[in-house]
Amino acid sequence: MQIKGIAKYIVDKMVKRTGELSQGRNVGALGFVDEQGFISSCSHVVDGGLSGIPLRILLSKLVDIKGKSILEGFKQLPDNTVFITTRPGKTGLITDVSGVDFFNMPIISIGVKNQGLAGVGIIYPEASHFDLATRAEELNLATLTTKTMAEEKEVLRETNQLGLKYLELGQELEVIELPEGPPVEKLDNLGEWTLPRLEVHALDKKLAQELVAKSMEIGQGREVAILGVVDEQGTVHAQGKIVCGGIGFVPARLLASSGVDITGKSLMSIYSDYLPKNAVIVHTHPGGTGVMHIGDANAGPSTWGRRIIAIGHDKDGTIQGATVIEVSDKLFDLADEDEQLNLKFFDAKTPEEEAEIRNRKFGVAQDYTSLCK
């Protein structure tokens, strides 16, 4: 799908709103390419918050996101959808592939400087871009395995060279005078795409021991992970190979490579079209007891609709415990509230109001932890 241009009224509206918000905040919308190849319509524009564009709020303008993961929301969108966002203080130049990898749709970047338009860039979802995203994850971890300064220097050199490659991936997009139309409201039902809510009751003990052994082998507090599947009895078994992550995280693409070939595939397509619907993310928490937090929930059920298990172990490799965060209405209610709080923060007029919002954000984080079982 080659895009010839974007309607000026869409660009003007988003630039204006970005200027009104100020404070470095961006805005976002989902646009639609017409039969002539122009982005001639879009959803309601949503304000960015503490964590950028609130995806659940954005999706809710077009589809039913209640009780659904981000993945299930995006699967309801038509093939001619594009993601549009403004970049305050930038020119619209696209400097990475993380967005196109995540959304698997064209990304439009509108640069805003001095309250005005500074340029519009576009990047398309292409197999080579996704492979660059994989390499970026690998390089991010490579410094943990280097043994000399010379080796680390080579890793950092390749990382910087990769960053330079990104500069050549995007293109300028023409802004076109087109008739203004109303914001696109709720889309027609394109068919329900959902993931099953299978309960997890047990984890294969041998699998847990193998993960902890690998975690101890690589050391440094690095997490390891594997993709498993949950059977009809609620027991999780291994489905893939163990992959090694970093200190406190396992990158999403490398995690998926545990179970499927990710070559030339976007994150969105990997988690929707290639991973089993009953997949479970299983990973270690070195130095912990298996209790998880909001980051784990976002890495699993909130974004990808898949359950996530953490296995805590001590420095001697003794398993201290394991918990699971499952897919639930409570989980998605917390995700919705967290997005609202990220926006509400900017509406606070007094220190007391801001303190109340911050306290509730801590409360939401605690509520996420209480989902562990």
Side-chain angles (χ1 to χ4, degrees):
M1 176 174 60
Q2 282 298 118
I3 298 172
K4 299 177 182 177
I6 182 171
K8 185 175 184 295
Y9 83 87
I10 295 176
V11 174
D12 289 345
K13 178 165 54 176
M14 296 184 71
V15 169
K16 180 182 178 183
R17 182 56 182 162
T18 301
E20 291 170 349
L21 291 176
S22 69
Q23 305 174 88
R25 296 172 65 187
N26 62 348
V27 301
L30 291 167
F32 301 97
V33 183
D34 62 25
E35 293 181 353
Q36 286 71 47
F38 297 107
I39 304 169
S40 56
S41 60
C42 71
S43 67
H44 285 279
V45 175
V46 301
D47 299 340
L50 289 174
S51 303
I53 303 301
L55 296 181
R56 299 185 64 81
I57 293 174
L58 178 60
L59 285 165
S60 72
K61 304 298 181 183
L62 296 171
V63 300
D64 178 19
I65 190 66
K66 184 70 175 177
K68 295 182 175 68
S69 63
I70 295 293
L71 173 62
E72 290 167 300
F74 273 96
K75 287 293 288 184
Q76 298 179 64
L77 299 176
D79 292 339
N80 65 330
T81 307
V82 300
F83 183 83
I84 313 171
T85 184
T86 58
R87 298 194 68 193
K90 305 292 184 180
T91 63
L93 179 69
I94 294 173
T95 57
D96 65 66
V97 294
S98 58
V100 74
D101 177 36
F102 181 86
F103 295 109
N104 195 35
M105 61 177 63
I107 305 295
I108 315 299
S109 174
I110 301 173
V112 182
K113 287 191 176 186
N114 301 319
Q115 307 295 312
L117 175 64
V120 181
I122 181 172
I123 187 170
Y124 292 93
E126 296 179 8
S128 59
H129 296 168
F130 307 143
D131 292 339
L132 285 177
T134 299
R135 186 57 186 152
E137 287 188 352
E138 292 170 345
L139 288 171
N140 191 31
L141 298 175
T143 54
L144 294 173
T145 59
T146 54
K147 294 181 174 58
T148 66
M149 285 191 286
E151 288 180 3
E152 184 170 354
K153 187 183 294 184
E154 285 304 310
V155 171
L156 295 176
R157 180 175 287 111
E158 186 177 350
T159 300
N160 287 319
Q161 290 171 345
L162 187 62
L164 291 175
K165 286 183 181 179
Y166 290 159
L167 300 180
E168 308 304 323
L169 302 182
Q171 309 167 25
E172 278 198 67
L173 184 64
E174 189 174 358
V175 179
I176 306 291
E177 288 281 1
L178 293 173
E180 182 171 352
V184 177
E185 301 283 353
K186 294 291 184 181
L187 295 173
D188 295 332
N189 192 341
L190 300 178
E192 194 79 357
W193 190 93
T194 59
L195 291 164
R197 292 194 182 187
L198 303 173
E199 288 192 23
V200 173
H201 298 297
L203 173 66
D204 185 321
K205 185 176 181 180
K206 182 182 178 184
L207 170 59
Q209 291 171 334
E210 289 175 350
L211 282 166
V212 171
K214 186 64 175 179
S215 188
M216 292 296 296
E217 177 188 329
I218 63 174
Q220 307 176 83
R222 294 176 63 187
E223 295 184 2
V224 301
I226 194 170
L227 285 172
V229 290
V230 56
D231 63 23
E232 294 179 356
Q233 288 70 46
T235 301
V236 176
H237 304 275
Q239 175 77 3
K241 61 185 180 183
I242 296 176
V243 294
C244 301
I247 300 173
F249 71 100
V250 179
R253 293 187 64 82
L254 294 183
L255 171 61
S257 73
S258 164
V260 298
D261 178 9
I262 65 172
T263 305
K265 303 179 182 74
S266 71
L267 275 174
M268 194 65 69
S269 63
I270 290 168
Y271 280 86
S272 62
D273 302 330
Y274 294 94
L275 290 186
K277 288 192 172 184
N278 64 337
V280 181
I281 298 167
V282 188
H283 71 304
T284 59
H285 272 192
T289 62
V291 173
M292 288 180 280
H293 50 78
I294 185 172
D296 297 289
N298 287 337
S302 185
T303 300
W304 304 119
R306 301 322 205 280
R307 295 138 294 273
I308 187 167
I309 292 173
I311 305 164
H313 65 86
D314 64 17
K315 60 184 179 63
D316 299 316
T318 302
I319 294 177
Q320 303 291 79
T323 70
V324 60
I325 297 180
E326 297 182 311
V327 180
S328 67
D329 289 339
K330 176 64 174 176
L331 171 86
F332 297 127
D333 288 344
L334 288 173
D336 289 332
E337 184 180 2
D338 191 54
E339 286 194 347
Q340 293 290 349
L341 288 169
N342 284 339
L343 295 176
K344 193 176 179 182
F345 172 85
F346 293 98
D347 296 329
K349 297 295 188 292
T350 66
E352 291 76 17
E353 288 181 5
E354 182 178 334
E356 183 180 347
I357 294 167
R358 288 183 179 276
N359 286 336
R360 181 51 198 150
K361 276 193 66 69
F362 282 121
V364 168
Q366 290 173 331
D367 289 344
Y368 269 107
T369 296
S370 70
L371 294 176
C372 296
K373 73 168 193 179

